[in-house]
């Protein structure tokens, strides 16, 4: 518990000295440092010299300021607290609130006697002698857009840095494909015409070189940074966003044979009763009708795809494919660890898929055609 400490001067009453000289004469000779800090308010033209100090009973170290010691009624006079509220709790609360105001660059009517000044830097004075109150919104205008010191490391130029970005032209074809996908996403859920987004993800299989140390009380689990590479694997992900249904298949490769086999399994087993199936794909070379004809033959491909409508995202706009959203969730919830074998990966992915399908986790798509025209309209190429 903190309390207000008293000094020998307090026996003579509150020292409302008119100037700094009078206060120095009333202070003991060994309190020179306290006198210099406690009379900081006179440099600002404040009328009262009463100082505040909060001291811990256990440590005996002042909490802030080390300005000097006064009785409660002296501190209350400086802080503007009513005389009937000069108990220790009220004065301590007012002193702490006062210190916080000064620390954030805002001073109270008492002028901040005995408290350290703000670290915000030099500030101009108003006409009445009080410091100007600055808000955070005014900082950029006062100290530049970064409102940091010019010598800080964050403001150094880094010409070697660059951001990789794929910049595509928003041509008529881009807009046509984008509008087609957005119109498809805006349709209500229909069991006879499901909208299915498909994408794939390559994954490196790695194994621990040394057995990890398990977590213990007060100590986190420890994993060696070295690992053993066990090859690669691929995941095909198909998600029906509004139905909360997804199908994930783990394969060794992602060539057109694997892609055709995945879509064939999807159409003949999972969506065998659908009258019309809308597939949303990106522009990878294995995602086109020719891959089905090369693998199955033209007759078998036509029979398989008679119920399928392909919808392709624009080039360099795979963000319109909601399968990427599902892959992002899969990566965070299941693939963020080392997996040393394809069998272990398949078991973990199947468990994740079953749990997520049981919860019927859907994807809510909010980007509409109106949003596209508003955000991208100035970049359209006629």
């Amino acid at each position: 518990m903190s309390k207000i400490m008293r000094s020998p001067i307090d026996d003579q009453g509150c020292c409302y000295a008119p100037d700094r000289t009078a206060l120095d004469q009333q202070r003991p000779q060994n309190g020179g440092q306290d006198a210099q800090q406690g009379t900081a308010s006179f440099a600002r033209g404040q009328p009262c010299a009463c100082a505040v100090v909060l001291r811990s009973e256990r440590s005996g170290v002042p909490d802030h300021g080390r300005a000097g010691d006064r009785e409660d009624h002296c501190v209350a006079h400086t802080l503007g607290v009513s005389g009937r509220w000069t108990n220790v709790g009220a004065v301590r609360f007012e002193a702490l609130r006062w210190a916080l105001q000064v620390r954030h660059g805002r001073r109270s009517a008492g002028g901040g006697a005995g408290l350290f000044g703000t670290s915000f830097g030099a500030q101009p004075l108003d006409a009445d002698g009080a410091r100007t109150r600055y808000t955070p919104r005014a900082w950029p205008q006062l100290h530049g857009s970064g409102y940091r010191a010019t010598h800080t490391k964050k403001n150094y130029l880094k010409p070697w840095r660059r951001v990789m970005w794929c910049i595509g032209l928003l041509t008529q074809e881009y807009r046509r494909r984008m509008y087609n996908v957005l119109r498809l996403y805006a349709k209500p859920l229909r069991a006879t015409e499901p909208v299915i987004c498909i994408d794939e993800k390559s994954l490196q299989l790695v194994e621990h070189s040394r057995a990890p140390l398990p977590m213990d009380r007060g100590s986190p689990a420890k994993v060696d940074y070295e690992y053993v590479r066990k090859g690669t694997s691929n995941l095909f992900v198909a998600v029906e966003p509004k139905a909360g249904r997804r199908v994930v298949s783990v394969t060794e490769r992602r060539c057109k044979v694997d892609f055709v086999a995945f879509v064939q399994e999807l159409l003949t087993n999972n969506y065998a009763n659908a009258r019309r199936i809308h597939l949303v794909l990106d522009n990878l070379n294995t995602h086109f009708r020719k891959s089905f004809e090369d693998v199955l033959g033209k007759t078998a491909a036509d029979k398989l795809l008679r119920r399928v409508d392909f919808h392709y995202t624009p080039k360099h706009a795979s963000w319109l494919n909601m399968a990427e959203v599902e892959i992002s969730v899969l990566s965070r919830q299941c693939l963020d660890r080392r997996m040393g074998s394809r069998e272990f990966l398949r078991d973990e992915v199947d468990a994740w898929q079953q749990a997520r399908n049981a919860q019927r986790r859907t994807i809510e798509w909010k980007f509409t055609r109106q949003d596209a025209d508003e955000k991208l309209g100035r970049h359209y190429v006629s």
Side-chain angles (χ1 to χ4, degrees):
M1 177 178 177
S2 301
K3 66 178 182 178
I4 304 297
M5 302 300 297
R6 301 184 179 183
S7 66
I9 296 182
D10 295 327
D11 297 335
Q12 303 176 5
C14 182
C15 303
Y16 301 133
D19 53 20
R20 181 172 180 175
T21 304
L23 180 64
D24 292 340
Q25 292 176 358
Q26 298 182 42
R27 282 191 174 276
Q29 297 298 327
N30 57 359
Q33 182 179 359
D34 293 349
Q36 292 178 3
Q37 296 180 2
T39 59
S41 62
F42 289 101
R44 296 188 293 269
Q46 300 299 330
C48 181
C50 295
V52 180
V53 61
L54 300 179
R55 187 184 297 270
S56 174
E57 289 183 348
R58 291 181 297 177
S59 61
V61 179
D63 296 332
H64 188 77
R66 191 72 178 111
D69 304 328
R70 289 290 180 270
E71 288 189 356
D72 296 349
H73 69 275
C74 298
V75 176
H77 180 276
T78 304
L79 299 176
V81 182
S82 176
R84 60 177 180 156
W85 295 102
T86 55
N87 56 77
V88 175
V91 176
R92 182 174 71 248
F93 172 78
E94 192 68 19
L96 290 176
R97 183 177 66 84
W98 190 21
L100 289 176
Q101 290 178 350
V102 176
R103 186 170 297 178
H104 287 281
R106 301 186 297 271
R107 296 188 178 273
S108 60
L115 300 177
F116 290 122
T118 175
S119 60
F120 188 72
Q123 301 178 7
L125 297 178
D126 293 337
D128 57 354
R131 290 189 180 271
T132 304
R133 297 183 180 182
Y134 293 132
T135 61
R137 291 185 177 181
W139 294 352
Q141 288 76 14
L142 296 173
H143 296 272
S145 58
Y147 58 86
R148 297 189 183 98
T150 57
H151 62 277
T152 58
K153 190 174 182 179
K154 291 183 179 181
N155 286 342
Y156 289 164
L157 292 177
K158 301 179 179 65
W160 60 88
R161 295 188 59 187
R162 60 180 180 178
V163 179
M164 301 299 294
W165 190 259
C166 185
I167 304 174
L169 293 178
L170 306 188
T171 59
Q172 291 289 347
E173 181 185 3
Y174 188 105
R175 295 171 60 184
R176 179 179 56 81
R177 289 190 176 186
M178 179 176 62
Y179 291 157
N180 180 32
V181 173
L182 295 178
R183 182 171 56 253
L184 186 65
Y185 288 165
K187 291 183 177 181
L189 175 64
R190 297 179 61 181
T192 57
E193 293 191 16
V195 177
I196 305 172
C197 304
I198 299 179
D199 204 353
E200 57 269 325
K201 174 182 175 62
S202 296
L203 185 68
Q204 182 178 205
L205 300 175
V206 294
E207 196 175 53
H208 295 289
S209 60
R210 299 175 181 85
L213 300 179
M215 178 177 58
D216 198 358
R217 179 178 298 180
S219 177
K222 299 177 178 61
V223 179
D224 199 307
Y225 69 92
E226 292 183 351
Y227 60 88
V228 179
R229 192 171 184 271
K230 293 293 184 177
T232 60
S233 186
N234 177 72
L235 290 88
F236 287 109
V237 178
V239 56
E240 189 179 356
K242 292 187 177 181
R245 186 180 182 184
R246 72 268 308 137
V247 178
V248 184
S249 176
V250 179
T251 60
E252 183 178 358
R253 295 175 301 272
R254 63 170 186 173
C255 59
K256 59 183 178 181
V257 176
D258 303 288
F259 175 73
V260 170
F262 174 71
V263 174
Q264 186 176 11
E265 179 72 15
L266 200 68
L267 299 179
T268 56
N269 292 338
N270 301 97
Y271 295 94
N273 299 325
R275 183 177 60 85
R276 177 64 57 183
I277 301 175
H278 301 276
L279 296 183
V280 179
L281 302 162
D282 58 21
N283 294 271
L284 191 65
N285 59 348
T286 58
H287 292 173
F288 293 90
R289 191 183 186 93
K290 186 176 183 303
S291 299
F292 293 87
E293 295 178 355
D294 294 342
V295 175
L296 302 176
K298 183 171 177 44
T299 303
D302 293 340
K303 183 179 179 180
L304 177 66
L305 302 178
R306 70 181 185 275
R307 300 181 296 135
V308 176
D309 287 342
F310 291 97
H311 303 267
Y312 294 98
T313 61
K315 293 182 179 179
H316 308 309
S318 58
W319 53 271
L320 285 168
N321 190 346
M322 277 194 275
E324 290 198 352
V325 178
E326 192 68 20
I327 290 177
S328 176
V329 177
L330 172 63
S331 300
R332 295 195 308 268
Q333 295 182 354
C334 182
L335 306 180
D336 58 343
R337 50 203 165 116
R338 294 177 179 177
M339 299 186 181
S341 65
R342 190 170 295 107
E343 291 74 18
F344 178 73
L345 173 63
R346 184 177 291 108
D347 294 340
E348 294 297 308
V349 169
D350 289 343
W352 174 87
Q353 170 186 328
Q354 294 176 8
R356 194 162 173 83
N357 284 336
Q359 298 173 0
R360 298 182 64 87
R361 294 290 185 177
T362 60
I363 301 175
E364 184 179 0
W365 186 265
K366 296 184 178 181
F367 190 79
T368 63
R369 176 171 178 170
Q370 291 74 18
D371 297 331
D373 292 338
E374 180 181 353
K375 295 178 179 296
L376 307 176
R378 65 181 183 275
H379 301 295
Y380 288 161
V381 178
S382 58

